[in-house]
Amino acid sequence: MSNLKLLAQSLGLSITTVSRALDGYSDVAPATRERVQAAAQAMNYRPNPAARSLRRRKAEAVAVTLPTEPGRFGPPIFLNMLAACGQRLAEEGLDLMLLPIAGRTGEMDTYRRLLDGRRADAVIVVRTRLEDERVAFLKERGIPFVTHGRTARSEEHAFIDGDGEAGFREAAQMLASLGHRRIAHIAAPQELTFAHFRRKGWRAALNELGASEALEYTAQPTEEGGYEAAQWLLQHSAPPTALLCATDSMAIGALSALKERGFIAGRDIAVIGHDNLPSAAFTDPPLSSMEIAAPDVGRQLAEMLIDRLGGRKPSELQTILPVRQVPRATHGPAN
């Protein structure tokens, strides 16, 4: 058994945490560093120079896992963002490695293979969850990472996120100003952080309006999910006059359901999405949407990761960007 492993076992810490403490990394708590260094001195531990050199090398590969469905590579919202992110990382000699993941079952196994096999030196986490086991795992391993989206403990890690709560509150208020009172929400699963905040904004607006009923339906954040949700909501005894959808993909599915039932979006029922996908401008009619009000989110994400690799603290790298409305033809005054 290696001396490093013995030292880690004696302290009840992971080998990664002990090695990073001995190397002076800032993401290890000062008290932990002092404890490790004192134990190493007591054991007369001397690190292997070659191993230390390998650990201190500059990161070369940055991994990001993307949720996928059969025949589809990643949610469309991430592709352009990650292209810009990859270009900025390449300027620093870093390769962005995209890994499609079908479902959560094998996701943590993929993370373990990446890190145990030294295939990635840093990670970008997308589509965060409120309780995100990926974030907990990366923190425990001491691997530099940033997230696109917050978690329930965002103060502990670096992140970039859009203010979906404010965006959905503003959109619902705008619909109310057009005379809508039955503003339904097509929600994504609430374990997803973005879905939680967008629903929170919608509910806040309804509470301000004194709405007696909050119609909503939760489905997967896809066209199929939006279609399913709209079909269910339209069967209600008092159907909504507006649909506020968690994503553009869901809104596009909802448009299909409206068309099947003979409704015209924007005239009979208002529809608004989020993401401002390129396809949103070409639906029939063009989809009203909203988006993060920054053209370079991918580059900002890369800059943040570069800063983490350079030793900046996570608490210094936390950004919430405003969301702007993108009005088109699928919302109008209530009938």
Side-chain angles (χ1 to χ4, degrees), residues 72-89:
R72 300 173 68 175
F73 187 78
I77 184 61
F78 294 123
L79 300 184
N80 288 341
M81 180 190 75
L82 290 174
C85 180
Q87 290 168 5
R88 176 65 187 98
L89 292 173

Side-chain angles (χ1 to χ4, degrees), residues 28-304:
V28 179
T32 301
R33 283 203 304 272
E34 292 173 7
R35 180 176 162 227
V36 170
Q37 289 163 359
Q41 186 173 1
M43 288 180 62
N44 199 29
Y45 171 77
R46 294 289 182 271
N48 182 304
R52 171 172 275 191
S53 175
L54 181 62
R55 289 197 304 273
R56 286 182 176 270
R57 77 192 189 282
K58 183 179 179 181
E60 295 179 353
V62 175
V64 56
T65 58
L66 283 176
T68 62
E69 297 174 45
R72 300 173 68 175
F73 187 78
I77 184 61
F78 294 123
L79 300 184
N80 288 341
M81 180 190 75
L82 290 174
C85 180
Q87 290 168 5
R88 176 65 187 98
L89 292 173
E91 294 170 8
E92 300 294 326
L94 303 169
D95 295 323
L96 184 63
M97 180 168 50
L98 304 184
L99 301 169
I101 300 292
R104 292 176 60 176
T105 305
E107 188 171 33
M108 293 308 301
D109 289 339
T110 298
Y111 270 75
R112 293 186 184 94
R113 287 198 302 272
L114 281 172
L115 302 186
D116 292 344
R118 293 185 177 273
R119 294 168 55 197
D121 306 286
V123 176
I124 296 172
V125 180
V126 302
R127 189 152 278 182
T128 52
R129 298 182 277 270
L130 287 170
E131 299 296 334
D132 204 310
E133 60 269 36
R134 299 167 298 178
V135 169
F137 176 73
L138 292 169
K139 284 171 55 184
E140 191 273 333
R141 286 294 189 96
I143 300 299
F145 73 96
V146 299
T147 69
H148 183 269
R150 285 164 280 175
T151 67
R153 283 172 285 279
S154 296
E155 70 280 358
E156 300 176 1
H157 61 86
F159 69 83
I160 289 178
D161 200 4
D163 194 349
E165 180 177 352
F168 271 64
R169 184 176 182 178
E170 180 183 351
Q173 290 171 335
M174 182 265 295
L175 288 167
S177 73
L178 293 172
H180 293 278
R181 291 297 177 267
R182 295 192 305 280
I183 304 168
H185 181 43
I186 295 183
Q190 291 300 292
E191 67 182 18
L192 299 172
T193 311
F194 81 86
H196 166 77
F197 282 114
R198 293 173 192 180
R199 181 181 182 274
K200 189 176 179 181
W202 164 74
R203 285 304 303 255
L206 262 59
N207 289 339
E208 292 168 2
L209 295 168
S212 59
E213 186 177 17
L215 275 176
E216 63 180 309
Y217 188 95
T218 301
Q220 290 303 306
T222 61
E223 291 87 350
E224 292 84 355
Y227 176 86
E228 168 193 314
Q231 290 282 17
W232 186 87
L233 289 165
L234 293 172
Q235 293 172 10
H236 195 271
S237 57
T241 62
L243 300 175
L244 191 51
C245 306
T247 70
D248 276 359
S249 294
M250 300 181 90
I252 290 170
L255 291 180
S256 180
L258 293 181
K259 189 173 182 179
E260 275 190 12
R261 289 173 168 266
F263 293 109
I264 297 177
R267 188 195 70 183
D268 302 318
I269 297 179
V271 179
I272 299 177
H274 184 295
D275 295 337
N276 194 26
L277 296 179
S279 58
F282 300 98
T283 58
D284 183 22
L287 177 66
S288 297
S289 186
M290 60 189 101
E291 66 179 355
I292 294 176
D296 57 352
V297 175
R299 191 171 183 88
Q300 287 188 51
L301 199 61
E303 294 283 3
M304 187 174 283

